[in-house]
């Protein structure tokens, strides 16, 4: 483990430390101080402590079979770098286009060694301050009123050196192999150490405990040489294509599913490991039995003596003896180095292996202690990509922005734009933003309206569970209503038991957009910032509290949401109805007409034409305008048409009226009263 | 006629109101008798069905009645089911279950009672109710004599719409009644169900409904019969509406312009146009022929008399008839037809009157919220297949951007390929490239931010479209003018040199002021500004230089601060520091003292000085005058302004009568949209020129200078004084409505609620304002159950009413759009 220490500092200066022992497995690994990059760019005082001599040491050993399952999609047919990050699951974020993973490997599923090389280059090229070969052995708190958070973090390393910092960023990943305690667990080999040479498995009966990607990866490697592989886990297999969660079983590893279903001797079984026992017989083979039988027999615990399930049920599934049992049960966070005073606890149920943190990635126990990277996955475990490089690279950036505001009064970056740009700014982001796309349901863009809704601020990738605290966390004001732009799968589409290939799974009509199943943009409108209560007690399966209004942009096969009628028009209507205004664009000529025939002008004319930046139509567009009947041709056409018998209302009817409806209201009529 | 139309328009707004704020009021109210009678409002019509409390909850009649709620509501008629309970005996509650009746009240006066079997379906209900209410507007007759009496009584006064339907209560009857609702005050409607009467008019196919238009208004000689035009389409509400519109159109129109450009109401209704080509020599005879043809083709085509002599375009020598189809883009046909019957048959054989089916399925009649109503988006979309000469501009990428803008002076258009405004402007941009081809040192480039997002962000471009100019050694400058060819071209051309120009000799200064020095530029900047400073005025010079730099691309600026500057300042009677303003078109040079010298003040002074005293107002220059926040005094002129009027106005300006106003004039030839402005001010349009005062910024009143007075100084002064004293009445007030959403949006929240009914108790109509909540409270409860029952597929918001013919009409007008 690596922890760090710094010399005591004057209280005004912040020391952030970034702990980076790689952990977990496969492409979920800790950010090799991606945070350091953000801190460096912001000119902050920081130090990274790394146990190993190089960054990314996790990848020097894991995944054991050396193939990353994070896709390295080098071609998308698009030039947009931000868009391309949607399909690049390995790169970290930086301003340097050379530091993209696609320059490091040509393989779609790259070799782990390339990742090690990439991470090393990342730290070196950007000149990050990392103290290698430093193992942090202990972390404790030192209360001090002058400290930013009321305490300093005191880190001691393996040489006994002590370091102090104001903010502690822990990115140690999940480094402790998960072990389930059951009789005979000593007979089990771990994923960490098991041989990866298929030769060692020739003609063997193999039992694998676990049903995650590491279990299947291990199976895949030896599938062709074993007699059979049985795979045992507590609950059913979860396929990532059905759950839409990248941490579940990926298709690249699922060869065993094939051979199981085609009855080629391999098989999957479900049972709680804690009820089982594994016994070694005199020939060194392993037998599966029930813990219950062991308790009965208490003394002699060899397989030859103990009751086996098949003694009663002679068709018991696991009645064959195994040559090897391999444990692939995942990893846990290493809590051992943290002093109790930090109150860094593990989460509940699902999240036992993760430290308990808020949606802002700050520990619930100690202010100023943030968990980054894989270890922060409790926020979106089994939901989004926060446990993986392509997810946590964005959450790390979000934490950096939160810290910048908390300690340096730098408000969350935002672009202020006139309201006429509202539709466009949303269309732009939903079509290219990678953070929204990867961290769907977790990070969302927020649009804060200004007074009278004539302008707005656009904030990117805010952790939406913290929506109620937005003002204090970002330093921005949300007094006049807000929009939240989130990406979502259909409410009932994802799950281990879901058929994701059913007919009509995709929606094409804009009016059915709310039933879209595949990842699509959803826009929430709130007249007021929701309260913490509202966020906490939001309706089940809603990522956010009930909004004043909601809009779904219909899912798109190409994930290209720029269709004028199918995507942009319904979005504009939604925004218009929320803001109670008209967001259409107009040519200068129309604005001219409105300026002289109405007392008010639509925002587009106010913000463009009246500021002498009107949009002049070309002749060809003008022609289309006449044909579309959005404009009547004003050229006089004949003597009679000029005469007064033409009622103005008459004209209005013929073209689709450009002007808003209520114009006719002032006209009196007795018929209405009929 | 006009009242007919106001009804029409009120109808529209009424529909919009109900549909937007109360989307589902169309369920039948159920009330007790006492409650029912307490809801009746004076003058309001109401249809009530009285039934026993213990009668079956559903029946065929109730279903039909329920259907009729919405259409009747459109006509302001409420519908209710009154449950007779024992405690409340009402005389309308029949004694036996099968003797229940429906009653029509106006206020609390009973107009009619209907046995339920006469109201056999929704058409019958609507037809009967309107028939009862429009008793005066629709005369029901049974014999020819009645018809003749009506005809005689209306000769020279009004036209008649006579219709025959086989029975009362059938769909054709309803269609006629709905038409009568709209046009009843304009035309006398006459209705019969007697076949004999129809036969006596000489009609064929008497088994079908017939509708005739009797042209009685034109008849002056009482012995003469009214001309009749038979409507040939089936009797539907929409067809009747279209038919009446063609009847209203002028019988014969004279034109003297390219037939290809002519458009009348007929084309919009899908009918062709027939031009009878006429010459001076045969005008009278041609006109008679044309009138004859016009009568024959009434309702089938528009007939126009084309005056060949005053025509600018050439038409084939021998052609005497020009035929123009209603379909867009089909060229006109030039025909040589020597018999008028040939004209008729040509029209009849070449017109495909599309059967416009009235939509039976109400659910299909969703609001057209999927139809584009953004003119920029729509036109760009329509033009998407046209290939622009994009090769004249250099397309930049992340790799080439920096190298390109560093290597040469460049204009960069930042745009997004999916954004309509960007793409509309790209066309102008390409036009600029075409105009500058081979002549400019400025490189015209563009970058699509949809592809190169990062580049645009790095250049601080967060909205589109943006034009920036990159010049060597200078900071990039954002273009802030109109997004059009003309202004951008001006910006680029004027930026060929840098500003302010340093003038070094008196002679050069004179050349500069006369326009000689930058002859090729003054067509882009009709004013040249010269700052005069003594050599020691360093700060002032710096400020002026900054201002000149800010104004680059918009106006030519120069600076003169040689030792002999006094020669110039004396000549133009300016004390230093000063600005000289050379107006090249007028050949005048003015001087303005420069007391304050902050750069932004100088920019303001110059900008103000560019304004004219009595400008021709155009689409491009209105904003410059608009920002002065003064009422506009506009002289609308059909072509160039009469010099006398101009002189009169300028005199008033000089005499300071117009200081509180912005006087200007509008040339309808240059700014044709002015016609629509006039139509908004006047009804009917007065002869041109016309002088109007528009109080744009406070109150929106429009005052017209009396058209019977000559536009001379004395009259104008008098009128202005009366205006000031508040003695003039405004002719109209410009509407002050806010710009609301043109159409509703999909209410996904409600749809989601309906799908998970446990949420429906929390249903809140989307984006509703607090003030609406109260009003809608009541309806909410009623429609919840209805919503829940509907299958998901049909849960699309029905904002629009059923059987609402404006929409039908609009839809059909839009036909060509969809083709």
């Amino acid at each position: 483990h690596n922890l760090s220490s710094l010399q005591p500092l004057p209280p005004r200066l912040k020391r952030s430390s970034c702990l980076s022992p790689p952990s977990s497995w496969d492409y979920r690994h800790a950010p090799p101080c991606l945070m350091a990059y953000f801190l460096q760019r912001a000119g902050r005082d920081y130090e990274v402590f790394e146990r190993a001599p190089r960054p990314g040491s996790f990848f020097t050993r894991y995944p054991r079979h050396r193939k990353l399952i994070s896709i390295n999609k080098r071609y998308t047919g698009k030039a947009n770098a931000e868009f391309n990050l949607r399909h690049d699951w390995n790169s970290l974020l930086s301003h340097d286009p050379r530091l993209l993973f696609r320059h490091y490997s040509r393989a779609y599923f790259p070799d782990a060694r390339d990742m090690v090389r990439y991470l090393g280059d990342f730290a070196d090229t950007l000149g990050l301050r990392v103290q290698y070969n430093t193992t942090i052995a202990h972390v404790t708190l030192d209360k001090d009123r002058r400290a930013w958070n009321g305490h300093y973090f005191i880190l001691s390393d393996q040489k006994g050196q002590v370091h102090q910092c104001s903010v502690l960023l822990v990115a140690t990943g999940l480094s402790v192999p998960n072990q389930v305690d059951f009789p005979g667990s000593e007979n089990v080999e771990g994923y960490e150490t098991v041989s990866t040479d298929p030769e060692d498995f020739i003609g063997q009966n193999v039992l694998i405990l676990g049903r995650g990607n590491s279990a299947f990866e291990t199976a895949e490697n030896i599938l062709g040489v074993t007699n059979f592989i049985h795979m045992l886990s507590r609950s059913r297999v979860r396929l990532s294509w059905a759950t839409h969660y990248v941490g579940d079983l990926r298709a690249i590893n699922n060869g065993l599913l094939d051979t199981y279903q085609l009855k080629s001797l391999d098989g999957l079984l479900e049972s709680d490991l804690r009820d089982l026992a594994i016994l070694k017989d005199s020939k060194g083979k392993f037998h599966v039995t029930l813990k219950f039988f062991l308790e009965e027999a208490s003394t002699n615990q060899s397989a030859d003596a103990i009751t086996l399930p098949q003694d009663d049920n002679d068709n018991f599934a696991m009645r064959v003896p195994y040559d090897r049992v391999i444990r692939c049960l995942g990893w846990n966070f290493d809590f051992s180095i943290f002093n109790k005073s930090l109150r860094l606890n593990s989460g509940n149920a699902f999240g036992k292996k993760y430290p308990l943190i808020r949606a802002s990635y700050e520990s619930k126990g100690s202010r100023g202690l943030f968990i980054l990277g894989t270890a922060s996955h409790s926020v979106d475990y089994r939901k989004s990509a926060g446990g993986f490089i392509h997810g946590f690279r964005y959450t790390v950036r979000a934490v950096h922005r939160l810290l910048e505001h908390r300690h340096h009064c730098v408000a969350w970056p935002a672009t202020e734009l006139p309201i006429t740009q509202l539709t466009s700014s949303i269309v732009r982001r939903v079509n290219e933003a990678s953070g929204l796309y990867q961290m769907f349901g977790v990070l969302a863009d927020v649009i804060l309206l200004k007074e009278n809704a004539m302008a707005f601020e656009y904030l990117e990738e805010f952790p939406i569970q913290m929506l109620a605290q937005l003002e204090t966390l970002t330093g921005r004001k949300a007094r006049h209503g807000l929009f939240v732009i989130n990406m979502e799968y259909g409410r009932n589409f994802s799950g281990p038991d879901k058929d994701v290939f059913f007919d009509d799974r995709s929606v094409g009509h804009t009016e059915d957009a709310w039933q879209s199943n595949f990842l699509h943009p959803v826009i929430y409108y709130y007249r007021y910032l929701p309260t913490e209560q509202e966020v906490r007690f939001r309706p089940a399966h809603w990522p956010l509290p009930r909004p004043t209004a909601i809009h779904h942009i219909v899912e798109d096969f190409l994930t290209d949401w720029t269709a004028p009628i199918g995507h942009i028009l319904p979005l504009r209507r939604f925004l218009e109805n929320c803001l109670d205004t008209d967001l259409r664009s107009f040519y200068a000529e129309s604005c001219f007409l409105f300026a002289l025939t109405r007392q008010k002008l639509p925002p587009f004319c106010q913000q463009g034409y009246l500021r002498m930046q009107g949009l002049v139509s070309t002749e060809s567009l003008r022609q289309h305008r006449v044909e579309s009947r959005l404009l009547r041709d004003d050229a006089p056409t004949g003597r009679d048409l000029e005469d007064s018998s033409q009622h103005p209302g008459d004209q209005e009817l013929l073209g689709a009226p450009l002007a808003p409806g209520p114009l006719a209201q002032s006209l009196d009529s007795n018929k209405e009263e009929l | 006629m006009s009242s007919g139309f106001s009804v029409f328009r009120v109808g529209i707004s009424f529909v919009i109101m109900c549909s937007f704020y109360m989307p589902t009021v169309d369920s039948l109210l159920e009330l007790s008798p006492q409650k029912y009678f307490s809801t009746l409002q004076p003058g309001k019509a109401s249809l009530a069905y009285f039934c026993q409390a213990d009668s079956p909850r559903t029946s065929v009649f109730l279903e039909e009645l329920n259907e009729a709620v919405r259409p009747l509501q459109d006509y302001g008629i409420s519908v209710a089911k009154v449950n007779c309970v024992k405690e409340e005996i009402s005389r309308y509650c029949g004694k036996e279950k099968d003797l229940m009746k429906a009653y029509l009240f106006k206020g609390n006066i009973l107009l009619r009672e209907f046995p339920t079997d006469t109201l056999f379906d929704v058409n019958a209900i609507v037809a009967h109710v309107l028939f009862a209410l429009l008793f005066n507007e629709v005369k029901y007759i049974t014999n020819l004599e009645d018809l003749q009496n009506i005809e005689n009584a209306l000769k020279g006064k009004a036209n008649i719409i006579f219709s025959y339907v086989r029975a009362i209560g059938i769909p054709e009857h309803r269609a006629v009644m709905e038409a009568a609702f709209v046009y009843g005050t304009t035309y006398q409607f006459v209705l019969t169900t007697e076949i004999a009467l129809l036969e006596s008019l000489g009609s064929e196919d008497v088994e079908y409904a017939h509708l005739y238009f009797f042209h009685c208004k034109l008849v002056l000689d009482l012995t003469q019969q009214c001309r009749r035009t038979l409507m040939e389409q089936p009797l539907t509400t929409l067809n009747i509406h279209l038919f009446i519109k063609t009847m209203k159109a002028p019988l014969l129109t004279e034109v003297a312009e390219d037939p290809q450009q002519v458009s009348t109401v007929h084309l919009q209704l899908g009918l062709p146009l027939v031009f009878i080509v006429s010459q001076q020599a045969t005008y009278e005879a041609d006109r008679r022929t044309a009138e004859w043809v016009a009568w024959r083709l009434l309702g089938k085509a528009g007939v126009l008399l084309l005056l060949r002599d005053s025509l600018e375009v050439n038409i084939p020598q021998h052609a005497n008839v020009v035929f123009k189809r209603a379909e867009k883009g089909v060229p006109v046909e030039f025909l040589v037809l020597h018999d008028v019957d040939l004209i008729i048959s040509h029209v009849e054989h070449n017109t495909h009157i599309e059967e416009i089916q009235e939509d039976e399925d109400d659910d299909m009649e969703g609001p057209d919220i999927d139809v584009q109503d953004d003119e920029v988006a729509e036109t760009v979309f329509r033009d998407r297949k046209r290939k622009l000469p994009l090769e004249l501009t250099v397309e930049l990428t992340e790799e080439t951007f920096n190298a390109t803008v560093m290597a040469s002076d460049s204009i960069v258009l930042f745009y997004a390929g999916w954004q309509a405004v960007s793409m509309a402007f790209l066309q102008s941009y390409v036009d600029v490239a075409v105009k500058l081809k081979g002549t400019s040192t400025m490189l015209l480039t563009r970058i699509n931010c949809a592809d190169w997002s990062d580049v645009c962000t790095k250049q601080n471009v967060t909205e589109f479209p943006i034009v920036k100019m990159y010049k060597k050694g200078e900071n990039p400058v954002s273009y802030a003018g109109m997004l059009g060819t003309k202004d951008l071209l001006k910006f680029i051309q004027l930026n060929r040199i840098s500003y302010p120009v340093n003038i070094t000799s008196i002679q050069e200064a004179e050349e500069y002021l006369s326009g000689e020095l930058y002859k090729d530029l003054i067509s882009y900047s009709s004013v040249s500004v010269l700052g005069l400073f003594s050599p020691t005025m360093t700060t002032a010079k710096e400020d002026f230089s900054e201002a000149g730099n800010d104004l680059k691309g918009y106006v030519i600026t120069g600076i003169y601060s040689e030792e002999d500057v006094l020669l110039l300042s004396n000549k133009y009677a300016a004390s230093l520091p000063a600005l000289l303003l050379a107006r090249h078109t007028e050949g005048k040079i003015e001087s303005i003292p420069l007391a304050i010298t902050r750069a932004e003040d100088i920019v303001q002074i110059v900008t103000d000085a560019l304004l004219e005293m009595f400008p021709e107002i155009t689409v491009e220059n209105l904003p410059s005058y608009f920002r002065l926040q003064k009422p506009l005094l506009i002289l609308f002129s059909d072509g160039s302004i009469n010099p006398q009027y101009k002189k009169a106005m300028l005199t008033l300006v000089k005499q300071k009568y117009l200081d509180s106003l912005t006087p200007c004039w509008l040339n309808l030839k240059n700014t044709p949209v002015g016609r629509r402005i006039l139509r908004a001010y006047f009804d009917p349009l007065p002869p041109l020129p016309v002088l109007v005062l528009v109080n744009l910024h406070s109150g929106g009143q429009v005052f017209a200078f009396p058209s019977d007075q000559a536009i001379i100084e004395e009259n104008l002064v008098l009128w202005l004084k009366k205006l000031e004293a508040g003695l003039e009445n405004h002719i109209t007030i410009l509407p002050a409505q806010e710009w609301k959403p043109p159409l509703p949006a999909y209410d996904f929240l409600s749809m989601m609620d309906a799908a998970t009914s446990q949420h429906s108790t929390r249903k809140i109509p989307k984006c509703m304002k607090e003030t609406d909540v109260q009003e809608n409270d009541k309806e909410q409860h009623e429609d919840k159950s209805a919503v829940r029952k509907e299958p998901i597929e049909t849960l699309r918001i029905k904002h629009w009413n059923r059987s609402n013919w404006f929409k039908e009409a609009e839809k059909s007008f839009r036909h060509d759009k969809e083709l």
Side-chain angles (χ1 to χ4, degrees), chain A residues 206-511:
Chain A
V206 178
L207 176 66
I208 296 178
L209 308 179
R211 53 97 227 268
N213 276 304
S214 57
F216 278 89
E217 166 205 316
T218 306
E220 195 80 15
N221 185 44
I222 55 175
L223 205 52
V225 296
T226 52
N227 296 336
F228 57 79
I229 302 170
H230 288 170
M231 196 175 273
L232 182 67
S233 62
R234 193 173 52 214
S235 52
R236 61 165 290 170
V237 67
R238 298 168 56 92
L239 299 166
S240 62
W241 75 57
T243 59
H244 303 114
Y245 171 63
V246 290
D248 286 329
L249 177 59
R250 299 279 307 286
I252 177 172
N253 278 337
N254 69 8
L256 188 122
L257 297 182
D258 222 25
T259 53
Y260 169 42
Q261 293 291 345
L262 298 176
K263 292 308 280 179
S264 290
L265 298 180
D266 302 317
L268 259 60
L269 294 151
E270 282 92 46
S271 171
D272 193 332
L273 294 181
R274 284 168 303 189
D275 298 337
L276 299 182
I278 291 181
L279 305 175
K280 196 174 187 178
D281 67 13
S282 50
K283 292 180 219 139
K285 304 241 177 194
F286 301 107
H287 295 264
V288 175
T289 186
L290 301 174
K291 195 151 99 183
F292 170 72
F293 294 140
L294 243 67
E295 282 155 6
E296 282 183 340
S298 70
T299 50
N300 188 348
Q301 301 215 342
S302 94
D304 307 312
I306 302 291
T307 315
L308 296 176
Q310 54 265 40
D311 296 340
D312 291 334
N313 296 306
D314 55 8
N315 64 346
F316 176 62
M318 288 186 288
R319 59 188 180 273
V320 285
Y322 295 97
D323 296 300
R324 306 178 92 125
V325 183
I326 307 168
R327 159 179 56 72
C328 305
L329 295 172
W331 309 80
N332 292 326
F333 181 76
D334 184 359
F335 290 93
S336 68
I337 59 168
F338 297 96
N339 185 282
K340 273 206 179 107
S341 60
L342 280 102
R343 289 183 292 167
L344 189 64
N345 301 318
S346 71
N348 47 5
F350 281 146
K352 245 189 155 167
K353 51 192 197 174
Y354 297 107
L356 195 61
I357 52 174
R358 299 172 197 279
S360 59
Y361 301 91
E362 189 165 18
S363 156
K364 287 196 175 169
S366 319
R367 192 173 152 90
L369 170 61
F370 288 85
I371 307 290
L372 307 179
T374 300
S376 69
H377 197 24
S378 62
V379 170
D380 61 338
Y381 183 58
R382 285 195 178 161
K383 290 195 182 83
S384 204
F388 315 95
I389 293 178
H390 64 281
F392 64 60
R393 63 189 180 202
Y394 304 103
T395 60
V396 164
R397 183 161 64 186
V399 170
H400 170 65
R401 287 170 177 167
L402 295 174
L403 288 172
E404 282 293 293
H405 176 246
R406 184 190 281 183
H407 297 302
H408 306 282
C409 298
V410 179
W412 190 284
T415 317
E416 183 167 342
L417 293 169
I419 205 73
T420 49
Q421 292 286 328
L422 183 61
T423 315
S424 288
S425 62
I426 295 176
V427 172
R428 178 182 185 178
R429 284 288 293 170
V430 300
N431 278 295
E432 65 179 30
S434 59
L436 293 187
Y437 196 84
Q438 307 284 25
M439 287 306 292
F440 60 88
V442 179
L443 299 181
D445 285 359
V446 179
I447 290 174
L448 303 176
L449 294 162
K450 297 281 183 179
E451 202 166 358
N452 302 325
M454 289 308 280
F456 63 92
E457 283 179 328
Y458 200 107
L459 280 66
E460 297 178 359
E461 295 165 19
F462 182 79
I464 46 172
Q465 292 314 309
M466 301 303 289
L467 190 62
Q469 294 92 331
L470 179 129
E471 292 195 338
T472 49
L473 290 179
T474 63
R476 306 275 171 191
K477 294 279 166 259
R479 297 287 154 79
H480 306 286
L482 64 153
F483 292 98
V484 178
I485 294 103
N486 189 27
M487 302 282 279
E488 293 174 17
Y489 280 98
R491 290 272 152 82
N492 211 18
F493 187 51
S494 309
D497 55 348
K498 291 286 190 320
D499 171 15
V500 286
F501 297 103
F502 66 95
D503 284 351
D504 305 328
R505 62 186 172 275
S506 73
V507 169
H509 294 291
T510 52
E511 63 267 44

Side-chain angles (χ1 to χ4, degrees), chain A residues 432 546 572-573 580 585 587 590 596 599-600 609 614 618 620 624-625 632 634 644 650 653-654 673, chain B residues 8 43 245 268 369 373-375 379 383 386 427 453 483 619 676 679 681 684 734 739-740 753:
Chain A
E432 65 179 30
R546 189 184 169 84
R572 191 196 87 213
R573 296 216 188 283
D580 201 28
S585 42
Y587 287 110
S590 297
L596 290 175
Q599 294 191 45
K600 306 252 165 69
Y609 179 70
T618 60
S620 120
H624 284 296
R625 205 158 141 235
R632 277 182 328 98
D634 294 306
S644 56
D650 220 352
L653 251 184
L654 293 175
E673 292 294 318
Chain B
F8 208 72
K245 279 192 92 71
Q268 290 155 352
I369 63 179
D373 52 1
D374 181 309
E375 55 178 358
T379 49
D383 206 39
R386 195 163 63 90
Q427 297 207 354
S453 186
L483 300 176
V619 171
R676 292 177 69 190
R679 270 186 227 119
Y681 296 166
L734 301 182
W739 286 77
K740 299 287 179 187
D753 284 344

Side-chain angles (χ1 to χ4, degrees), chain B residues 635 642 644-645 648-649 652 689-691 705-719:
Chain B
L635 181 74
N642 182 326
Q644 285 181 337
Y645 301 156
M649 295 296 277
L652 290 188
V690 54
L691 184 67
F705 180 72
S707 56
D708 52 356
Q709 290 185 23
I711 303 179
I712 52 170
E713 289 155 46
E714 298 81 56
N715 291 345
L716 288 171
V717 170
L718 202 62
W719 181 63

Side-chain angles (χ1 to χ4, degrees), chain A residues 18-239:
Chain A
C18 180
L19 308 183
S20 162
S23 67
S24 180
W25 81 277
D26 220 358
Y27 64 101
R28 15 169 131 174
H29 75 121
C33 287
L34 172 58
M35 191 53 154
Y37 165 71
F38 293 120
L39 294 170
Q40 177 121 331
R41 293 279 283 181
R44 304 300 169 209
D45 183 11
Y46 73 94
E47 196 69 51
V48 181
F49 299 108
E50 166 62 47
R51 176 174 47 186
R54 292 291 292 154
S57 61
F58 176 83
F59 289 103
T60 57
R61 182 157 182 81
Y62 303 112
R64 294 295 316 283
H65 304 90
R66 311 313 285 140
K67 189 197 267 183
L68 300 178
I69 56 175
S70 45
I71 58 171
N72 175 35
K73 197 163 171 52
R74 298 190 302 147
Y75 306 103
T76 61
K78 305 229 182 186
N80 189 317
E82 177 65 20
F83 175 90
N84 287 340
L85 274 176
R86 289 182 168 189
H87 306 289
D88 173 348
W89 293 11
N90 296 293
S91 298
L92 298 176
L93 303 177
S94 80
H95 62 283
D96 189 341
R98 290 171 305 168
L99 290 174
L100 286 173
F101 193 79
R102 64 185 160 91
H103 302 308
Y104 285 79
S105 170
R106 295 158 70 100
Y108 189 50
F109 294 104
D111 191 287
R113 277 166 300 205
D114 293 327
M115 179 55 82
V116 176
R117 194 160 53 87
Y118 171 72
L119 296 174
D121 276 8
F122 190 88
D124 295 346
T125 311
L126 298 170
L128 306 180
R129 291 205 297 275
V130 187
Q131 289 191 18
Y132 294 106
N133 300 312
T134 308
T135 304
I136 298 300
H138 192 68
V139 183
T140 186
L141 273 187
D142 179 16
K143 291 229 186 298
D144 188 329
R145 275 186 300 123
R146 291 166 304 168
W148 288 349
N149 295 303
H151 49 244
Y152 290 111
F153 298 96
I154 309 295
L155 318 177
S156 331
D157 66 19
Q158 81 275 22
K159 294 176 206 142
Q161 256 190 309
V162 175
H163 312 264
Q164 173 184 320
C165 60
S166 302
V167 174
L168 180 63
L169 306 168
V170 179
T172 54
L174 304 181
S175 54
V176 184
N178 182 28
Q179 308 207 24
V180 178
D181 190 29
F182 57 87
S185 54
E186 69 279 4
N187 297 323
V188 170
E189 296 172 84
Y191 169 79
E192 320 82 71
T193 53
V194 72
S195 163
T196 55
D197 183 359
E199 295 288 318
D200 297 340
F201 295 85
I202 290 175
Q204 294 191 346
N205 301 345
V206 178
L207 176 66
I208 296 178
L209 308 179
R211 53 97 227 268
N213 276 304
S214 57
F216 278 89
E217 166 205 316
T218 306
E220 195 80 15
N221 185 44
I222 55 175
L223 205 52
V225 296
T226 52
N227 296 336
F228 57 79
I229 302 170
H230 288 170
M231 196 175 273
L232 182 67
S233 62
R234 193 173 52 214
S235 52
R236 61 165 290 170
V237 67
R238 298 168 56 92
L239 299 166

Side-chain angles (χ1 to χ4, degrees), chain B residues 285-315:
Chain B
D286 293 337
R287 193 174 166 96
R288 276 194 302 277
T289 311
E291 274 180 13
W292 193 88
V293 172
W295 278 112
R296 289 279 304 270
L297 289 176
L298 193 54
K300 295 173 193 144
V303 179
L304 302 94
L305 197 63
L306 183 66
L307 307 172
R308 188 198 281 269
D309 303 313
S310 36
L311 203 57
E312 280 173 17
V313 289
N314 271 331
I315 58 170

